Amino acid sequence: MKKKYRLIEDFKKHDQTTIWKHLDAMAVNYAVYSTQRDLSPFLTDYAVYLYCTDSCMVVVCLDRCGHCKEQEYAESRTLGPLIYNHGQEPRVSIVWKLAQAVKAIRNRLQIPVYGVLITEAVITNADELYSMWDSNNVMVIDDMKNMKFHYIWVNHDDDLDCKSFVDNLLSTPLQISDAECDTCSTPPTTETPPAEVNLFDEEFERLLKEFINGASTDTDEKAIDDSASSSDCKSVESPSDTADESPAEEEEETPPFPDGEIEQNPNLTVKVEVLRPMPNPREELEKLVGCTEIKQRMDELVNLTAYNQILQRSCPAAKQHAVSLHSLFLGRPGTGKTTVCKIFGSLLRQAGALSKGHVVVCDRGSFIGTLWGDEERAMRQLINLAKGGVLMIDEAYLLNSANENDPGKIVLQLLMNTLADESQRDIAIVLCGYKEPMTQLLELNPGFQSRFPNRFEFPDFTIEELLEITKHRVHDYRYRFTKKAWEKYVAVLSDAFQVRDPLTWGNARFVGNLLERIYLQHATRCVKQQVTGKSALLSLIPEDIVPIEVPRQRKKIGF
């Protein structure tokens, strides 16, 4: 029996020191289907990963609540929905929510299901609860650190038959009958909840938590109003529930995006790149390698914006905090500025600060045409394109020239006029470029400093971070390095890193170019050698690892 349900038994063996390695191993175990899914209505506020074989399933739930947030679970014999500790407000038991999800999945699929909660909280009496948790088909791994920036790989192997379990699971919302629900079976073990509850404060706190955790991406007023009278189990709607919605409401959820073309003058049309918003921007932010300070500061800005939105709905008379969305992204090429900008726009859309969340990417050439007045026409059209999203001006320092007649100076003045326009609220302008010339640009006009209060610095990646980026990108194609191939790759990248010119080094772009060369070499070898079999086709061997040219630092001549 143990061998039959080996997936569950293997998870039970792991703890704080080994669970991450085990999850990484599961991602490359092609007998196990793994995926990340939203498990509504039980675990809507948490990242959930599903692992299944043809005989059983494991549900892994991540609780990124903050390390060293000590908790004590009062239950010792039974598992209940609420935890009452002396002198503290009652709180929902995440373990109970996971156990309810496990029970609902087991009833749906009719296979053994086990839940694993990985939490940053320190559960002070965990030793007393292990047996009780296990009897409810869950286990808890607490006292974890830095979960916010830990990325979990999954394989999404559609060839596995057990994927049908996940398809079945997500076909309709999960539910559990009142007879099976443990809500009423477990009385408070230490004290009862307060007789009076301030419903306004409770609702405000719930809304704030949803915005900050990214639990809800709907920003229209109907979703906010309905939430006060709907339970958590109503957050997932069936097709029949949404059938009566009007087309106008659907259009608001998926607004039209521009095609990315402007006319500088009747004879000159210029294309600009338009990046559509991401469905899960917070998840994408956490996947980024490095950028720790950027992630933290971006979270703070988005959370403050979300707080203002909630405050406006809950208490219209309260004074809101002044928040400027205009930002500076300072760093060399390949440090992730465009990627973070796309995430930025999507996060602001989720927080309700922007109506669309798309990003319009432009540069000096997008503004400056061939005829008098092209700059003003281009500026007006680009602002209109970016309305509801982000206008990202790459290498913005190129607009600052020593030539007094340079049309770039006209663009800067027009930009200042736009920033001063109070009607231009549904837009965020982001200036990108190298730190030193961007600093000179800001000094050109004292008003620029105050108009761009959000300053994000993108440092060059370390060799360790570049190797981590490599693993992410290779995994996207489901390739795997052999041990010797990985050793050769590390040597090639390290050599390039040592001789790089810091001023022209491409950072993650260099990694992308190097991997593209390796993919071509790998494909050529597989075709010539007539390689067959899934494992061989997805394995990178030493023969595939070939270096590319590295722009070297120029030697100084003279004294």
Side-chain angles (χ1 to χ4, degrees):
M1 186 64 68
K2 267 193 173 183
K3 185 175 181 181
K4 186 177 180 181
Y5 305 134
R6 181 176 175 182
L7 177 67
I8 293 176
E9 296 303 321
D10 282 350
F11 266 94
K12 289 183 178 182
K13 297 175 184 176
H14 293 280
D15 57 17
Q16 303 148 323
T17 60
T18 60
I19 186 62
W20 296 132
K21 289 183 179 179
H22 182 61
L23 293 177
D24 287 342
M26 288 294 97
V28 296
N29 185 338
Y30 289 101
V32 178
Y33 177 78
S34 57
T35 183
Q36 182 183 14
R37 299 288 178 162
D38 176 32
L39 208 56
S40 300
F42 300 98
L43 299 167
T44 53
D45 293 339
Y46 306 95
V48 177
Y49 296 82
L50 304 178
Y51 299 83
C52 60
T53 63
D54 56 1
S55 61
C56 61
M57 177 179 289
V58 172
V59 180
V60 176
C61 175
L62 303 187
D63 175 28
R64 301 182 175 98
C65 62
H67 186 246
C68 289
K69 181 181 179 182
E70 292 194 2
Q71 298 179 357
E72 182 176 351
Y73 277 59
E75 60 256 323
S76 57
R77 297 179 183 176
T78 55
L79 188 63
L82 292 177
I83 301 171
Y84 302 95
N85 286 75
H86 182 71
Q88 299 179 7
E89 291 291 329
R91 68 180 187 276
V92 176
S93 169
I94 304 174
V95 184
W96 175 82
K97 293 175 74 172
L98 178 59
Q100 293 297 99
V102 166
K103 183 180 294 186
I105 296 172
R106 187 172 67 247
N107 292 344
R108 170 77 64 83
L109 302 180
Q110 295 298 307
I111 60 172
V113 183
Y114 198 77
V116 179
L117 174 65
I118 305 176
T119 177
E120 292 178 326
V122 178
I123 301 178
T124 53
N125 60 332
D127 292 341
E128 306 169 5
L129 307 174
Y130 287 143
S131 297
M132 184 269 294
W133 286 336
D134 188 57
S135 66
N136 286 272
N137 297 307
V138 294
M139 66 178 284
V140 179
I141 300 176
D142 70 331
D143 196 16
M144 301 298 289
K145 300 179 179 67
N146 300 322
M147 282 177 55
K148 185 174 183 180
F149 305 120
H150 195 97
Y151 180 69
I152 296 179
W153 303 109
V154 292
N155 59 40
H156 296 298
D157 195 342
D158 295 341
D159 295 337
L160 291 173
D161 294 337
C162 55
K163 179 180 180 292
S164 61
F165 287 138
V166 176
D167 295 337
N168 183 347
L169 182 62
L170 301 175
S171 59
T172 56
L174 284 172
Q175 56 185 352
I176 193 166
S177 66
D178 293 337
E180 295 171 316
C181 184
D182 299 330
T183 305
C184 302
S185 63
T186 308
T189 56
T190 56
E191 63 180 50
T192 58
E196 296 183 3
V197 178
N198 189 328
L199 294 178
F200 172 81
D201 291 342
E202 184 181 29
E203 176 66 7
F204 182 85
E205 182 177 355
R206 187 184 69 77
L207 287 172
L208 180 60
K209 181 180 179 183
E210 284 185 0
F211 267 97
I212 291 178
N213 289 336
S216 172
T217 58
D218 226 348
T219 59
D220 58 71
E221 294 182 1
K222 182 179 183 300
I224 299 297
D225 293 338
D226 288 349
S227 64
S229 58
S230 301
S231 66
D232 290 340
C233 294
K234 297 286 182 69
S235 60
V236 177
E237 301 179 70
S238 64
S240 60
D241 293 329
T242 58
D244 296 330
E245 291 180 359
S246 66
E249 289 177 334
E250 293 179 1
E251 288 179 5
E252 287 181 2
E253 294 178 359
T254 55
F257 295 98
D259 57 9
E261 220 174 54
I262 64 170
E263 290 185 358
Q264 290 183 343
N265 59 57
N267 301 318
L268 183 59
T269 299
V270 176
K271 289 188 176 182
V272 294
E273 187 176 10
V274 178
L275 306 176
R276 298 205 169 198
M278 300 174 170
N280 301 302
R282 191 169 296 276
E283 179 185 332
E284 296 300 324
L285 182 65
E286 292 174 3
K287 288 180 184 178
L288 293 178
V289 175
C291 307
T292 303
E293 185 177 348
I294 291 173
K295 295 174 185 176
Q296 180 180 352
R297 293 210 50 234
M298 192 156 291
D299 263 342
E300 292 171 351
L301 178 60
V302 172
N303 289 344
L304 180 58
T305 304
Y307 175 86
N308 273 346
Q309 295 290 320
I310 300 170
L311 189 63
Q312 183 181 17
R313 289 182 172 89
S314 302
C315 189
K319 183 179 180 180
Q320 296 188 30
H321 298 277
V323 180
S324 174
L325 305 180
H326 308 313
S327 306
L328 298 172
F329 283 13
L330 309 178
R332 295 193 176 98
T335 50
K337 296 188 294 296
T338 302
T339 300
V340 172
C341 195
K342 185 176 180 180
I343 295 172
F344 187 45
S346 302
L347 284 172
L348 290 174
R349 181 196 180 196
Q350 278 195 351
L354 295 176
S355 59
K356 295 181 180 179
H358 64 295
V359 179
V360 176
V361 183
C362 60
D363 54 21
R364 175 186 168 94
S366 307
F367 295 97
I368 299 174
T370 57
L371 302 176
W372 177 264
D374 283 359
E375 296 78 23
E376 186 172 358
R377 282 189 292 270
M379 176 67 73
R380 183 172 59 252
Q381 291 179 70
L382 286 168
I383 292 295
N384 287 335
L385 282 180
K387 193 73 173 178
V390 179
L391 179 64
M392 174 181 169
I393 306 178
D394 199 14
E395 296 184 313
Y397 56 86
L398 294 178
L399 296 171
N400 179 26
S401 171
N403 186 349
E404 289 298 327
N405 297 320
D406 183 19
K409 295 189 180 299
I410 299 176
V411 175
L412 292 175
Q413 185 57 52
L414 292 171
L415 184 60
M416 283 295 297
N417 296 341
T418 301
L419 294 170
D421 187 354
E422 291 297 323
S423 66
Q424 300 289 355
R425 289 296 186 185
D426 191 17
I427 189 173
I429 297 176
V430 176
L431 304 184
C432 302
Y434 291 94
K435 181 178 179 180
E436 292 77 10
M438 286 295 292
T439 301
Q440 296 174 9
L441 173 63
L442 294 176
E443 293 173 350
L444 178 69
N445 190 318
F448 265 73
Q449 293 279 4
S450 60
R451 298 293 183 183
F452 292 91
N454 308 307
R455 186 185 182 104
F456 299 94
E457 294 194 20
F458 293 71
D460 285 351
F461 290 111
T462 65
I463 184 65
E464 291 78 13
E465 290 170 340
L466 291 174
L467 291 173
E468 187 66 22
I469 290 171
T470 298
K471 293 178 182 178
H472 285 224
R473 296 192 176 187
V474 166
H475 185 270
D476 288 341
Y477 290 96
R478 297 172 66 180
Y479 285 123
R480 295 184 298 272
F481 284 98
T482 65
K483 182 178 180 181
K484 290 185 178 179
W486 178 249
E487 291 173 352
K488 183 176 179 181
Y489 178 85
V490 172
V492 168
L493 184 59
S494 298
D495 289 344
F497 189 81
Q498 291 296 326
V499 301
R500 74 192 188 285
D501 181 357
L503 296 178
T504 59
W505 174 242
N507 285 283
R509 290 183 189 175
F510 180 85
V511 169
N513 293 337
L514 177 58
L515 288 177
E516 287 300 322
R517 182 67 185 89
I518 290 172
Y519 297 154
L520 288 172
Q521 181 74 6
H522 170 74
T524 302
R525 177 182 62 81
C526 288
V527 171
K528 287 183 177 180
Q529 297 179 4
Q530 298 183 350
V531 175
T532 59
K534 182 176 181 179
S535 179
L537 286 169
L538 295 176
S539 294
L540 300 175
I541 66 175
E543 186 179 339
D544 300 329
I545 312 304
V546 290
I548 61 174
E549 184 179 356
V550 183
R552 297 172 181 260
Q553 189 170 5
R554 295 181 180 180
K555 295 182 179 180
K556 294 182 179 180
I557 301 176
F559 298 94

